[in-house]
Amino acid sequence: MTRWLVAMSGGVDSSVAAALLARAGHEVVGVTMDLGQGTRDDSLPVLGKRCCGLPDAEDAREVARALGIRHYTANYRERFRESVIEPFVADYAAGRTPIPCVACNRVLKFDLLLRRAEALGACGVATGHYARIAPLPGDGQLGLYRPRDLAKDQTYFLFDVPRETLQRVAFPLGELEKHEVRALARELGLATAEKPESQGICFVPDGDVRGALERLAPERIRRPGPIETRDGQVLGEHRGATGYTPGQRRGLGLSGGPWYVAEVDPAANRLVVAREPELLAREARIERALWHDGAPPDAPVRAAVRYRHRTVSAHVLPDGDDRATLVFDEPVWAPAPGQAAVVYDAADARVLGGGWIAGG
């Protein structure tokens, strides 16, 4: 019998992940990370869309009782604040567009929880992500692949989990579609079977990034400044450049549009806007690159510069140990500094790695 630690968020996906492992004969230990609201002063709103707080831990505990497995709640509020919330604010203040879910996966789920799994004598960590771990041709090592349900694919958020870590990770939902997961939860009578899905950033439950930033760092965001074209023509005024992202159209309040954010310049507290054709890019520079095979791929690949963006054919041009330029065979929309460029194989199935967009 193999023991697995399952990260139980209190949602239906992680509930079914735990159920599948238990049904397969494994010993399952459920752990819910109490992330609270991610701040010391609880400055974020309490809305129904939050996850990973104490109410969700109660849901997870009820599922664990139904499955007959052990369950623990672990307080990771401080680490969540340090590793996810504070970098989120700092990135936006620097004009970048962060992806906090990637940091949460890398630092909390697949580092801190892996250490807890080792302490509990478990072989690894399983989660409710929609992704697949499968053997690579030739060497028997495990690689990261897209799931069967491509509409729920979460591999974009997992690209920088190191390959050696993947050897101790399981994604039991990889071969299931979402409707099958719900049906299994109903069949097992799990309390989370009909629980609404949590989407977006867990600590921005209403989807209002600027509102969250105003609560977390009001001194950084409430500074009006100019909205300009690339040639310096002033078209209007913003309420604070922090929180905007390249490609954004809404919230500019400009006439004679459509205008899109082309650049966020926090040093000058200005937004640079442009017309749609100017935001189409043929390349993107990446930094802090991670390659699952140890080196950048030299064959044609597929790449995506934002979550749910369609992948396009591309080539990787290395520039030192952890930098590269992605050259796209067709234009991509508004690569944004701070977002991830995730690279897949030519079949668009296996994650080869990727990096963080530094510019065009």
Side-chain angles (χ1 to χ4, degrees):
M1 178 185 295
T2 303
R3 178 180 299 162
W4 282 94
L5 183 154
V6 177
M8 298 182 69
S9 67
V12 64
D13 292 330
S14 58
S15 298
V16 172
L20 289 171
L21 287 174
R23 192 165 70 172
H26 300 289
E27 180 185 353
V28 176
V29 179
V31 174
T32 299
M33 296 183 295
D34 174 18
L35 307 181
Q37 296 182 24
T39 62
R40 285 174 173 161
D41 59 0
D42 287 346
S43 59
L44 295 177
V46 178
L47 298 176
K49 199 175 170 184
R50 284 179 55 220
C51 70
C52 300
L54 290 177
D56 302 288
E58 289 301 320
D59 291 340
R61 186 173 293 111
E62 187 172 346
V63 169
R65 280 196 294 264
L67 297 176
I69 65 175
R70 285 186 287 162
H71 177 268
Y72 303 98
T73 299
N75 186 341
Y76 286 115
R77 293 188 181 200
E78 190 69 12
R79 290 303 301 269
F80 185 65
R81 181 185 63 81
E82 295 172 353
S83 302
V84 180
I85 298 285
E86 291 179 355
F88 172 84
V89 174
D91 277 348
Y92 266 117
R96 295 186 289 270
T97 306
I99 317 174
C101 296
V102 175
C104 185
N105 285 330
R106 182 184 65 251
V107 177
L108 276 78
K109 295 185 180 72
F110 301 119
D111 183 5
L112 297 181
L113 276 189
L114 265 178
R115 297 184 201 178
R116 188 171 292 267
E118 292 172 359
L120 291 171
C123 65
V125 168
T127 73
H129 284 98
Y130 285 84
R132 289 188 303 122
I133 300 288
L136 300 174
D139 63 5
Q141 292 287 300
L142 300 176
L144 177 62
Y145 290 83
R146 291 189 189 271
R148 178 180 155 206
D149 190 344
L150 295 179
K152 301 298 298 179
D153 182 9
Q154 293 173 300
T155 54
Y156 180 88
F157 300 112
L158 299 165
F159 84 95
D160 72 341
V161 177
R163 182 169 163 181
E164 56 268 23
T165 300
L166 293 175
Q167 313 308 306
R168 297 182 292 156
V169 170
F171 299 127
L173 307 188
E175 298 293 347
L176 296 176
E177 295 191 1
K178 181 70 179 193
H179 70 92
E180 295 174 312
V181 171
R182 290 269 186 205
L184 184 55
R186 295 186 192 106
E187 176 188 325
L188 295 173
L190 301 183
T192 55
E194 308 300 338
K195 189 172 182 178
E197 193 166 5
S198 177
Q199 296 180 339
I201 301 171
C202 66
F203 57 90
V204 188
D206 55 2
D208 182 5
V209 170
R210 284 183 58 80
L213 291 169
E214 285 178 352
R215 290 185 292 271
L216 290 164
E219 73 285 353
R220 295 185 177 185
I221 194 169
R222 295 172 183 165
R223 296 171 52 224
I227 302 177
E228 305 177 358
T229 61
R230 291 192 188 277
D231 59 9
Q233 179 186 0
V234 177
L235 301 179
E237 184 179 81
H238 61 73
R239 296 180 294 109
T242 301
Y244 287 91
T245 184
Q248 180 175 338
R249 178 180 174 183
R250 294 182 179 179
L252 295 175
L254 300 178
S255 60
W259 293 99
Y260 299 87
V261 176
E263 179 186 345
V264 180
D265 183 353
N269 191 35
R270 68 180 185 133
L271 294 178
V272 178
V273 296
R275 301 296 191 183
E276 181 176 348
E278 296 181 60
L279 275 80
L280 295 171
R282 281 283 189 171
E283 62 181 45
R285 292 181 291 108
I286 62 172
E287 58 190 8
R288 291 179 288 146
L290 179 145
W291 305 109
H292 289 196
D293 291 337
D298 55 11
V301 297
R302 305 283 298 182
V305 297
R306 291 212 190 199
Y307 178 53
R308 294 199 181 282
H309 275 207
R310 181 178 65 89
T311 61
V312 299
S313 296
H315 289 78
V316 179
L317 303 181
D319 178 19
D321 292 337
D322 65 348
R323 297 184 302 276
T325 296
L326 299 182
V327 180
F328 309 110
D329 291 353
E330 60 184 273
V332 299
W333 176 251
Q339 289 284 290
V342 179
V343 175
Y344 297 82
D345 64 7
D348 208 18
R350 181 192 166 208
V351 176
L352 301 180
W356 299 97
I357 297 173

